[in-house]
């Protein structure tokens, strides 16, 4: 079913906006009016939006991949993944959407069920959604949230990261070609645009970003009691015990720390290795850097760049030259930083103060697992956690003791590729989760409705309250 006609009927005949914040206000007003028409609540409208998104990506696949490459993802697998993963998410969502939208029967107390009552849980869209996008996932961290929002029946405005010059230009060109502004729009700009957007009474706000921005968003959302989903970050541990497959662990952790130029929120922030295998692990990490990126990573097209010269300088300032085992060189003018291994690192070193967000891997050691877990638990909760071991008792202890958003055993990063598992942080690493059905549920309100036959009364609810009626209240807890 086409959504063209009702959208055209609702389009305002206003003059062209004169600034980005004025344009944002105009888009917000249009989306509010359109959502109020109930057009977005149909299965057909939602499928149409996902079809449009898939067409936009497939018909412009190479343009999107090239834009991502220009912005910083020079590795072909990474810039192609941005496009292909977004298409796959859209298609997967389409295949399951009808089932997700089907109202669900809820169990009832026996006496209600016996008297013909029914409990139904409907999932309804929140409404106009603001999606604040980061730079590190040019498409997957903007369009994946948009897919969740649109499949749930929410029109949305993407606030694009101003750091992604090529990708922003392409999205700003193509989104208006493939979508009506009442369904999906995009704006770009710095702090002033975000500040303006956060004054609007959005129905839902979805942020992927830093802890600092997360706090700003929560404060702004509080003014309108707006629900939020926050995907933030943290310093993610990779624990390697003495039973681990050391060459395998080193290669996976080095890849996890260096892929995407280390600019991924689930990248291992540090490796902490049992002291008995630390030297072997460090040696294997050095081998892994060469195996993955060669002796000259700067000229290797499989190694991605850093987002900006300023980011290179910040990362370079974290490197203690005395502790460089591999790498350590940088060239801010071309946004390059070596894949760098640092050892031995202590908890008090500068590099351990905050999330690194770059291709630096500090290596620490431990001797007592209990003390290590206590130390990690004393820090802000990480978004991801990894453990490398052959000892199931040790694995169970780590997973049971540490709180983190998600993670893996004997692997890094790739849990976030899996559409059927929820992705989200806890504590300072975030609030709420998405991916697949979990995203659909997060972007909809569960509306519970009790349906009573028109000729059935629950007499014990009404006075006068006899002993029998008071005792009858126990039936409400008998399922």
């Amino acid at each position: 079913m086409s959504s063209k006609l009702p959208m055209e009927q609702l389009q305002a005949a206003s003059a062209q906006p004169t600034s980005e914040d004025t344009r944002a206000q105009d888009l917000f007003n249009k989306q509010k009016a359109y959502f109020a028409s109930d057009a977005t609540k149909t299965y057909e409208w939602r499928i149409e939006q996902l079809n449009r998104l898939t067409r936009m990506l497939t018909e412009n696949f190479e343009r999107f991949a090239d834009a991502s490459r220009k912005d910083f993802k020079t590795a072909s697998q990474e810039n192609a993944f941005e496009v292909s993963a977004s298409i796959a998410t859209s298609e997967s969502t389409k295949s399951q959407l009808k089932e997700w939208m089907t109202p669900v029967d809820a169990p009832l107390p026996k006496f209600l069920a016996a008297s013909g009552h029914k409990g139904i849980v409907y999932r309804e869209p929140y409404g106009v959604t603001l999606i604040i996008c980061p730079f590190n996932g040019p498409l997957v961290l903007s369009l994946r949230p948009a897919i969740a929002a649109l499949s749930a029946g929410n029109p949305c405005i993407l606030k694009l990261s101003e750091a992604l010059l090529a990708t922003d230009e392409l999205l700003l060109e193509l989104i208006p070609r493939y979508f009506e502004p009442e369904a999906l729009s995009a704006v770009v700009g710095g702090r002033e645009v975000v500040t303006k957007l956060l004054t609007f009474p959005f129905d839902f706000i979805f942020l992927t970003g830093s802890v600092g921005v997360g706090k700003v968003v929560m404060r702004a959302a509080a003014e309108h009691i707006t629900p939020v989903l926050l995907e933030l970050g943290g310093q993610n541990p990779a624990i390697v015990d003495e039973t681990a497959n050391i060459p395998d662990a080193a290669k996976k952790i080095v890849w996890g720390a260096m892929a995407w130029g280390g600019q991924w929120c689930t990248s291992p922030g540090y490796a902490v290795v049992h002291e008995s295998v630390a030297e072997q692990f460090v040696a294997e990490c050095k081998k892994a850097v060469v195996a993955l990126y060669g002796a000259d990573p700067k000229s290797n097209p499989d190694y991605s760049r850093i987002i900006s010269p300023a980011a290179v300088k910040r990362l370079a300032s974290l490197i203690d030259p005395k502790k460089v085992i591999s790498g350590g060189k940088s060239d801010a003018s071309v946004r390059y930083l070596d894949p760098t291994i640092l050892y031995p690192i202590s908890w008090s070193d500068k590099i351990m103060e905050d999330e690194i967000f770059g291709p630096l891997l500090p290596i620490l050691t431990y001797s007592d697992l209990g003390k290590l877990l206590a130390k990690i638990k004393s820090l802000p909760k990480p978004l991801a956690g990894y453990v490398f071991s052959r000892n199931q008792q040790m694995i169970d202890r780590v997973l049971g003791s540490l709180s983190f958003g998600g993670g893996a055993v004997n692997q890094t990063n790739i849990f976030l590729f899996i559409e059927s598992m929820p992705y989200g942080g806890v504590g300072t690493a975030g609030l709420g989760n998405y991916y697949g059905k979990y995203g659909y549920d997060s972007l909809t309100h569960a509306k519970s409705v009790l349906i009573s036959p028109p000729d059935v009364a629950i007499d014990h609810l009404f006075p006068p309250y006899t002993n029998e009626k008071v005792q009858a209240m126990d039936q409400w807890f008998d399922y």
Side-chain angles (χ1 to χ4, degrees):
M1 183 181 77
S2 173
S3 63
K4 188 80 175 177
L5 183 60
M7 283 183 173
E8 286 178 340
Q9 291 173 342
L10 283 161
Q11 284 177 337
S14 58
Q16 182 69 21
T18 57
S19 67
E20 193 70 355
D21 59 350
T22 303
R23 176 172 170 267
Q25 179 72 71
D26 182 57
L27 291 171
F28 174 79
N29 292 341
K30 285 181 176 181
Q31 290 195 356
K32 271 288 192 181
Y34 187 63
F35 181 73
S37 75
D38 290 337
T40 73
K41 295 181 179 179
T42 67
Y43 171 77
E44 292 78 10
W45 182 90
R46 302 179 196 199
I47 287 293
E48 181 185 352
Q49 307 318 307
L50 298 178
N51 283 335
R52 290 179 183 223
L53 190 142
T54 296
R55 287 199 307 272
M56 180 180 76
L57 292 170
T58 54
E59 292 170 7
N60 300 278
F61 193 107
E62 292 303 325
R63 293 186 71 192
F64 275 114
D66 188 55
S68 179
R69 181 188 61 78
K70 289 177 180 175
D71 283 327
F72 75 99
K73 294 195 174 186
T74 54
S76 58
Q77 186 184 77
E78 293 171 14
N79 58 57
F81 177 78
E82 285 289 328
V83 195
S84 59
S86 301
I87 293 171
T89 296
S90 179
E91 292 302 293
S92 173
T93 299
K94 283 165 53 180
S95 71
Q96 300 174 82
L97 183 57
K98 188 175 287 290
E99 178 184 351
W100 296 350
M101 291 181 67
T102 303
V104 176
D105 288 344
L108 292 179
K110 291 176 182 176
F111 86 96
L112 285 179
S115 58
H117 289 75
K118 289 185 178 180
I120 308 291
V121 180
Y122 299 87
R123 299 214 71 98
E124 63 178 15
Y126 280 108
V128 180
T129 298
L130 172 63
I131 299 173
I132 303 175
C133 313
F135 79 80
N136 59 318
L139 296 179
V140 295
L141 295 184
S142 57
L143 297 184
R144 241 179 178 168
I147 290 165
L150 293 169
S151 70
N154 303 298
C156 54
I157 295 175
L158 303 180
K159 162 50 185 77
L160 305 176
S161 167
E162 64 273 22
L164 297 167
L165 300 181
T167 302
D168 287 355
E169 182 179 6
L170 191 54
L171 285 170
L172 291 171
E173 172 197 337
L174 294 178
I175 285 177
R177 286 194 198 173
Y178 287 84
F179 292 89
E180 300 290 351
E182 290 86 351
L184 176 66
S185 296
V187 298
V188 70
R191 181 179 300 178
E192 70 286 348
V193 173
V194 175
T195 301
K196 178 68 174 179
L197 284 167
L198 290 175
T199 65
F200 302 165
F202 280 96
D203 299 298
F204 197 94
I205 300 176
F206 189 126
L207 165 74
T208 305
S210 68
V211 174
V213 177
K215 292 179 179 179
V216 170
V217 167
M218 287 197 77
R219 282 193 289 267
E223 289 297 314
H224 303 289
I225 319 296
T226 300
V228 298
L229 196 159
L230 306 178
E231 297 295 347
L232 307 177
Q235 186 75 311
N236 306 316
I239 302 172
V240 182
D241 82 353
E242 66 274 25
T243 73
N245 179 334
I246 299 301
D248 177 76
K251 187 173 185 178
K252 289 173 178 175
I253 292 171
V254 166
W255 172 80
M258 309 306 169
W260 304 289
Q263 298 154 110
W264 200 255
C265 43
T266 58
S267 298
Y270 59 95
V272 55
V273 187
H274 192 273
E275 61 184 13
S276 65
V277 293
E279 296 298 330
Q280 182 190 358
F281 179 81
V282 170
E284 292 295 338
C285 285
K286 290 174 67 176
K287 291 179 187 177
V289 170
V290 176
L292 293 170
Y293 304 111
D296 182 19
K298 191 174 184 180
S299 61
N300 189 332
D302 289 334
Y303 182 61
S304 284
R305 290 301 194 254
I306 306 301
I307 189 63
S308 69
V312 173
K313 292 175 183 176
R314 179 188 69 82
L315 291 165
S317 74
L318 300 176
I319 298 173
D320 182 346
K322 300 188 298 296
K323 298 187 177 184
V324 173
I325 296 298
S326 177
K329 299 187 299 296
S330 63
D331 185 346
S333 66
V334 292
R335 300 181 297 153
Y336 173 79
L337 181 69
D338 273 345
T340 299
I341 309 295
L342 299 159
Y343 174 81
I345 296 296
S346 69
W347 294 102
S348 60
D349 284 349
K350 180 181 178 182
I351 197 168
M352 297 302 296
E353 290 177 358
D354 202 355
E355 184 177 13
I356 295 171
F357 222 69
L360 310 178
L361 178 63
I363 301 175
L364 302 88
T365 63
Y366 78 96
S367 58
D368 184 298
L369 182 61
K371 291 180 179 177
L372 172 62
L373 296 178
K375 175 61 181 179
I376 295 174
K377 289 164 75 171
S378 73
L379 304 172
K381 292 181 180 180
L383 178 59
Y386 306 108
V387 55
F388 289 79
S389 175
R390 290 187 174 98
N391 182 339
Q392 191 60 49
Q393 224 176 2
M394 181 270 191
I395 293 169
D396 291 342
R397 185 178 178 189
V398 171
L399 296 182
S401 181
L402 294 185
S403 178
F404 51 86
V409 175
N410 297 317
Q411 188 53 271
T412 62
N413 276 359
I414 61 172
F415 74 95
L416 59 83
F417 297 173
I418 301 172
E419 195 72 19
S420 59
M421 296 172 67
Y423 174 68
V426 61
T428 54
L431 176 66
N433 52 53
Y434 72 120
Y435 277 28
K437 177 66 158 56
Y438 298 95
Y440 178 85
D441 287 349
S442 290
L443 271 293
T444 54
H445 165 65
K447 182 168 67 177
S448 299
V449 178
L450 178 66
I451 300 172
S452 174
D455 53 354
V456 173
I458 303 172
D459 290 332
H460 66 253
L461 294 178
F462 308 123
Y465 296 122
T466 62
N467 286 337
E468 291 77 15
K469 286 185 177 182
V470 172
Q471 292 171 0
M473 292 299 292
D474 290 342
Q475 297 176 86
W476 289 90
F477 307 100
D478 182 16
Y479 284 80

